[in-house]
Every structure is written in C-alpha cells, then in structure tokens.
Amino acid sequence: MSKKFEPIKFDIQHFAEEGEKTFTQEEVNDIVKSRIADEKRKKDAEIATLKSAHESEIEAKTKEINQLNESLSSFQDSEKALKKIQKEKDGIESQLNEYIQKEETDAWHTKLKEKGVKEERFEAFTKLFGDEERNDENLDKLVEQYPEWLNKQEETPPPIGAGFDNNVPPSSNDPFLKALNSND
C-alpha cells in the first residue's frame, strides 16, 4: 500500500518571530520583480561583454567572407574570359587547319596536273591516298595503274602539206592552212 501525503497549508508569517518585519504579497511581488530585473541586467551585460569580445572576430570573419566572395567572383569572371578565349582559339585553329588542308590539296592537284591526270579525276586520286601517302612514287604507280585517268597526249600535227599526196587529211593546226585562212 502506498500512502498519500496531502500537503499541509500554513501561513509562513505564523512562524516569523515577533519584531521581524512581515511583507505583504505586493511587497514580495516587487522584490521578486526587482531580483528578476537584476538577473536580466546581469545576463544582458554578460551577453554584451561576450558580444563585444567576439565582435572583432565576427568582423574579421565577415571581411574574410567578403574577400572570398570577391575572389570567387573574380575567378568566375576569369573562367568566363578563359572559355571565350579558348573558343576563339578553337575557331582560329579550325580555320588554320582548313587553310592548311586547302593548301595541301592545291599542291596535290598541281602535282596531279603536272602528271597529266584529268581534272575530273583529281578527287578520286586524292581519296586514294592519305596525307602521308601523297608522294611522287605512289602517284607514279597510280598513273601506271590507271592510264585512262590521264589526259591523252596531243598528237603531233601532220607535216605541212599533209593531205596532198600521202592521203592524210589536213589538220586544223596546220600552220600553212592557218595562214591561208587568215584575213590579214
């Protein structure tokens, strides 16, 4: 069994010795309010002291944060500028590569022309060789292999007077006929 204790109500003033001062409820409330206000002032003073003690640290950290933000902003600006320059560089390299490729192709076409390759076959000859394989030796081999891709050598014109006694028709390149047909 458990016992229940009931609180006993009593008047504290009853135990006070005579001659001692007694307080009214209002006076007790004022004393409590005063002590609470004193404690609050003490706590506020402690907070102010701690705050002022750490204020310089807070300012230093704030400056550090601001510097880091500025550095980050500067870094981001630099990164954007770097990307822009890289893009421009890539564009210029691409143009340079196109120019070099065009120059190499033109040089190759000149070689093909010198070997007598028909112009409509330049692209075919170009595709048959990689950049490293474009040399005179390989070109000579291909010319031998595909003679039909070459311009036919112009036939030498018949001698002057051809067609009179030797049954060779006169050529339009015959200088004698050209002289006869000129109106000068």
Side-chain angles (χ1 to χ4, degrees):
M1 283 185 150
S2 68
K3 291 185 179 180
K4 280 191 173 181
F5 295 100
E6 290 187 31
I8 302 173
K9 295 181 184 180
F10 57 93
D11 184 14
I12 333 178
Q13 295 298 325
H14 176 67
F15 297 104
E17 295 181 18
E18 289 186 33
E20 282 189 34
K21 182 167 177 166
T22 59
F23 297 98
T24 64
Q25 185 63 43
E26 193 174 302
E27 289 173 325
V28 171
N29 288 344
D30 287 341
I31 292 170
V32 170
K33 282 181 187 176
S34 172
R35 286 190 180 169
I36 290 175
D38 288 343
E39 287 299 316
K40 185 174 182 331
R41 276 191 293 276
K42 284 182 189 176
K43 290 294 177 190
D44 288 345
E46 282 180 35
I47 290 172
T49 302
L50 289 173
K51 189 175 179 183
S52 68
H54 294 290
E55 204 167 272
S56 63
E57 289 179 37
I58 291 171
E59 281 182 32
K61 291 298 179 187
T62 301
K63 283 182 184 178
E64 192 176 331
I65 288 170
N66 289 339
Q67 288 174 344
L68 288 173
N69 283 336
E70 288 174 13
S71 295
L72 178 62
S73 176
S74 175
F75 174 76
Q76 289 170 337
D77 292 343
S78 297
E79 194 174 47
K80 287 178 187 176
L82 180 64
K83 284 181 181 178
K84 180 181 175 187
I85 291 170
Q86 184 66 39
K87 187 175 181 181
E88 289 173 1
K89 178 188 160 259
D90 291 345
I92 290 169
E93 281 181 344
S94 174
Q95 288 175 344
L96 178 63
N97 288 338
E98 287 176 19
Y99 176 76
I100 289 171
Q101 185 67 35
K102 184 182 181 306
E103 288 296 314
E104 289 174 352
T105 300
D106 288 347
W108 177 246
H109 285 183
T110 301
K111 275 188 175 188
L112 293 175
K113 192 172 193 177
E114 289 171 358
K115 290 289 183 177
V117 175
K118 293 178 182 177
E119 224 174 291
E120 61 267 11
R121 295 299 182 180
F122 283 4
E123 200 61 38
F125 268 81
T126 302
K127 287 180 181 177
L128 287 173
F129 296 111
D131 292 337
E132 295 82 31
E133 299 169 327
R134 293 181 186 171
N135 58 44
D136 290 335
E137 185 180 317
N138 286 339
L139 180 59
D140 289 340
K141 288 178 186 175
L142 228 79
V143 166
E144 287 177 25
Q145 191 173 359
Y146 298 101
E148 66 274 9
W149 287 8
L150 299 175
N151 287 322
K152 300 207 185 220
Q153 299 292 332
E154 287 189 27
E155 296 175 14
T156 56
I160 295 177
F164 289 109
D165 289 349
N166 56 9
N167 292 329
V168 177
S171 168
S172 60
N173 291 332
D174 189 339
F176 180 74
L177 288 178
K178 283 184 182 177
L180 283 176
N181 291 329
S182 71
N183 293 331
D184 292 333

